Amino acid sequence: MIFTFSPTTPLQNFKILSQCLVPRPIAWISTINDNGSINLAPFSFFAPVSLEPTILSVCLMKKSDGGIKDTLYNAKRSKHASITIPNPQDCTQVQQCSTEFERGKSEASEIGIRLTSILSDYPPVPSNCQCAFFCDFYDIWEFQSTTDTLLLEVKQCFVDARFASESSENLRFVLEPLVRAGSGFKVLQDL
């Protein structure tokens, strides 16, 4: 089968890419809402794009009403975002956070996800995180009306000591990330 990618078929394009470009890490992004509550949303269109500066990209579809996602709005406004790489045991909560909540509602509070503040200048992350990136807003690439690409510059990274090798100079981590694998989620070691 041959599929033609077109700006008029964004859902088809998304489905093809999300099923074929696998596995992909999940970015579980926390940002601060206008009211001070924490927005926590997962994104599977997430990848590094540069080392110097260290830039991560997150592709965001628009909300069902055509508005921009809270993550994009909050990151642009506050200039900060924290990205957690979720654990396999977080799968149900990650899926629940993908539900569209009204602006200003905290997914973490609504779902009962405990958060912890690792760096005071950045939004808190799920308390059981194994790895988190603390990022500053860098830019937005606007390609089509249905998507925006958020660029975040990594300033610091946290890795739980349980997942690091004995020698920190080796920079070897044994993470158990939840990844997108076609239509579902998998643990990277299961692939």
Side-chain angles (χ1 to χ4, degrees):
M1 298 174 75
I2 300 293
F3 298 94
T4 300
F5 279 66
S6 164
T8 61
T9 60
L11 186 56
Q12 172 198 279
N13 302 347
F14 173 81
K15 286 183 176 182
I16 292 168
L17 291 172
S18 67
Q19 299 295 310
C20 294
L21 297 178
V22 292
R24 291 186 316 280
I26 305 297
W28 206 6
I29 303 178
S30 52
T31 56
I32 299 174
N33 292 318
D34 285 332
N35 62 10
S37 66
I38 303 303
N39 176 266
L40 186 61
F43 298 93
S44 66
F45 269 53
F46 159 66
V49 292
S50 171
L51 284 175
E52 292 183 31
T54 306
I55 304 292
L56 303 175
S57 69
V58 184
C59 182
L60 303 100
M61 297 286 288
K62 301 276 190 205
K63 285 185 158 190
S64 58
D65 66 2
I68 67 169
K69 297 272 186 174
D70 297 354
T71 300
L72 180 65
Y73 172 83
N74 292 339
K76 185 177 179 182
R77 180 189 48 77
S78 73
K79 306 299 185 210
H80 296 297
S82 299
I83 300 176
T84 300
I85 305 301
N87 301 316
Q89 60 268 32
D90 296 327
C91 186
T92 299
Q93 293 177 323
V94 167
Q95 289 176 322
Q96 290 171 331
C97 284
S98 69
T99 303
E100 216 173 270
F101 284 73
E102 65 183 68
R103 188 173 305 281
K105 275 232 184 208
S106 171
E107 292 83 353
S109 295
E110 295 290 317
I111 296 168
I113 300 169
R114 285 191 5 233
L115 300 173
T116 187
S117 179
I118 295 174
L119 294 176
S120 61
D121 289 345
Y122 293 91
V125 297
S127 60
N128 67 337
C129 88
Q130 57 187 336
C131 174
F133 297 97
F134 301 99
C135 306
D136 289 351
F137 174 83
Y138 188 80
D139 200 359
I140 299 171
W141 288 345
E142 297 176 13
F143 295 106
Q144 297 294 332
S145 61
T146 57
T147 63
D148 295 299
T149 299
L150 173 61
L151 299 178
L152 297 169
E153 183 175 2
V154 177
K155 292 300 187 176
Q156 294 191 22
C157 177
F158 162 81
V159 177
D160 187 309
R162 295 174 297 160
F163 300 98
S165 65
E166 305 261 336
S167 168
S168 61
E169 291 104 33
N170 286 345
L171 290 179
R172 293 197 179 268
F173 309 122
V174 184
L175 302 177
E176 296 176 348
L178 182 67
V179 298
R180 185 74 179 188
S183 62
F185 298 97
K186 301 267 187 224
V187 180
L188 191 56
Q189 285 111 344
D190 293 344
L191 299 176

